[in-house]
């Protein structure tokens, strides 16, 4: 296996869960949450800006990904 194949495999493993579903949004939101929590100790404006970047990352993955989530019983607000 060449270096390019190893890099591709590592990038794919970092961007997906073990079942093949995308994990970029979850990881980006976790990182933004951690940074926002740390920044909240210093400035609420910085915390809001970092949390906003996390939301942008989640929206970007949804817009750029062609992954369709499988049907299932998801949590909802309906009764």
């Amino acid at each position: 296996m060449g270096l390019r194949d190893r890099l591709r495999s590592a990038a794919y493993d970092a961007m997906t869960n073990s079942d093949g579903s995308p994990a970029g949004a979850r990881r980006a939101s976790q990182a933004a949450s951690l940074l926002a929590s740390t920044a909240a100790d210093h400035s609420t404006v910085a915390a809001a800006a970092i949390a906003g970047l996390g939301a942008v990352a989640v929206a970007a993955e949804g817009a750029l990904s062609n992954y369709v989530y499988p049907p299932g019983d998801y949590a909802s607000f309906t009764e």
Side-chain angles (χ1 to χ4, degrees):
M1 178 183 274
L3 179 62
R4 187 172 76 181
D5 293 332
R6 289 182 188 183
L7 288 173
R8 183 183 307 134
S9 177
Y12 182 79
D13 290 343
M15 293 185 297
T16 58
N17 294 319
S18 59
D19 63 352
S21 62
R26 179 178 50 84
R27 291 194 176 124
S29 61
Q30 287 173 340
S33 172
L34 177 68
L35 289 173
S37 176
T38 303
D41 294 337
H42 302 289
S43 167
T44 55
V45 174
I50 293 170
L53 290 176
V56 168
V58 171
E61 187 198 33
L64 299 175
S65 174
N66 60 0
Y67 181 78
V68 176
Y69 287 90
D73 294 327
Y74 297 104
S76 67
F77 293 104
T78 59
E79 294 183 33

